[in-house]
Amino acid sequence: MKRIAIITSGGDAPGMNAAIRAATLTAIKAGCEVFGVKRGYQGLITGEISELTSLTVSDILHRGGTILHSARSKEFATAEGREKAIKHLHDFGIEGIVVIGGDGSFRGALELSNLGFATVGIPGTIDNDIECTDLSIGFDTALNTVLDSINKIRDTAVSHDRVYVVEVMGKNSGFIALYAGLAGGADAVLIPEVEPDLDQVVQRIEMVSRIGRRHSIVIVAEGIFGDPLSGRAFSESAAFKVATYINLKVKKDTRVTILGHIQRGGSPSALDRTLGTRFGAKAVELLISGESRMMVGWVDHDLKVSPMDEAIARKKRVEPEVYALAETLASI
Ligand code: ATP
């Protein structure tokens, strides 16, 4: 393997740059040339490919986002689009590709391997919804951003005796909401994996009032009422629906905060930098040793390599015992 390409695809996640840096340096050390593809699979179609050097990947470890930019490409999901993409890969003499992204990006990677290119995936999504790994790059940083926001919201909630309904990202997955609720001490957490029980949320707020606390924090995952990417109007956001119901049932000043894309940005945490670095190095080692269609993951505090097909076979589900603990603590 002499020429390797790196692609970041799907939603950006803090720590992707650490993976790009480690993959590039590991490949250079092994005597390979490394190329960065700009804007995900779209850049493969348009030929936005340029060499990555140890200088190009200097000073990026601490930066959020991805220096390679990211995109969602409908064209790449078509056979014609992929034909254009592989022409550029052939032109550059690229044999192996590291794909950093979510399950959609891995589906694209498998298509590329069907066309004769070796591919290794690195899970990079704040949603943490990829199977075969305990953690995806970006989840820890996003979670810390959410917790920092909850701390600030709690200050004003306490000062004004308010109920705050805080909406977090995660698409149809509840990891960010659940762990933010657990680590942020929320009074209720609503996640897509569990049918929303708004009467129970109201009961929790009333119970909190009875013990003498005048504020409440409710965490709502953006996907509790269906796919948040289906183009519904802003006013139909999950948090507004929940807050409207609470307002109807309890006489409390209820406010909504939608954290939105601040959850994606920011300097990656130590954990995301470390994960990105270890994933990036391992992915290149796998390509050089002739592996393909594999995903690098983190299981029981160690690297674990799994077939990419297995990683995308189903969505990772939140741990029932963690949800049960959040529920128990919120109801005492
Ligand atoms: P995130 O979890 O952040 O959304 P993702 O990788 O799942 O990340 P997607 O938008 O689902 O994000 O996929 C990224 C890109 O992968 C798509 O824009 C498309 O170019 C490509 N892709 C997705 N599914 C397929 C497929 N079945 N075949 C070929 N390419 C695909």
Side-chain angles (χ1 to χ4, degrees), residues 62-273:
H62 63 294
R63 284 166 55 189
T66 156
I67 59 158
L68 293 176
H69 302 248
S70 192
R72 301 187 197 269
S73 169
K74 285 198 175 127
E75 196 179 355
F76 187 78
T78 67
E80 297 75 32
R82 289 194 293 275
E83 275 303 312
K84 290 186 202 164
I86 63 166
K87 182 186 173 306
H88 289 119
L89 287 172
H90 285 306
D91 288 349
F92 277 84
I94 288 161
E95 298 158 280
I97 307 158
V98 175
V99 174
I100 308 168
D103 56 339
S105 302
F106 295 161
R107 285 193 177 85
L110 289 173
E111 292 289 354
L112 283 176
S113 73
N114 292 340
L115 295 165
F117 299 92
T119 56
V120 172
I122 293 179
T125 166
I126 65 166
D127 304 339
N128 204 36
D129 58 351
I130 307 286
E131 269 288 355
C132 303
T133 185
D134 295 339
L135 291 169
S136 297
I137 296 174
F139 172 63
D140 183 65
T141 307
L143 185 57
N144 280 295
T145 301
V146 171
L147 286 175
D148 184 49
S149 304
I150 292 173
N151 292 343
K152 289 171 178 157
I153 289 165
R154 191 181 285 281
D155 287 344
T156 196
V158 171
S159 302
H160 287 274
D161 301 334
R162 283 182 186 145
V163 175
Y164 270 87
V165 180
V166 182
E167 183 177 305
V168 301
M169 284 183 151
K171 294 202 278 297
N172 53 4
S173 170
F175 279 96
I176 296 178
L178 176 56
Y179 280 83
L182 195 72
D187 299 300
V189 180
L190 299 176
I191 59 174
E193 291 85 345
V194 178
E195 189 67 30
D197 183 347
L198 300 189
D199 288 323
Q200 192 192 52
V201 173
V202 168
Q203 283 161 21
R204 293 266 175 81
I205 293 168
E206 289 170 340
M207 185 196 78
V208 162
S209 286
R210 277 199 300 279
I211 63 166
R213 175 149 62 81
R214 292 166 167 240
H215 69 276
S216 287
I217 304 283
V218 177
I219 308 287
V220 171
E222 63 178 350
I224 55 164
F225 296 121
D227 183 1
L229 298 181
S230 64
R232 63 170 190 234
F234 177 70
S235 59
E236 291 171 340
S237 88
F240 278 113
K241 277 194 190 174
V242 173
T244 303
Y245 193 83
I246 294 171
N247 251 328
L248 279 174
K249 301 279 176 173
V250 287
K251 286 193 177 56
K252 291 211 71 114
D253 184 0
T254 305
R255 305 291 176 104
V256 167
T257 300
I258 298 173
L259 296 183
H261 284 87
I262 65 160
Q263 293 163 90
R264 280 194 190 277
S267 184
S269 66
L271 179 56
D272 279 328
R273 294 182 199 199

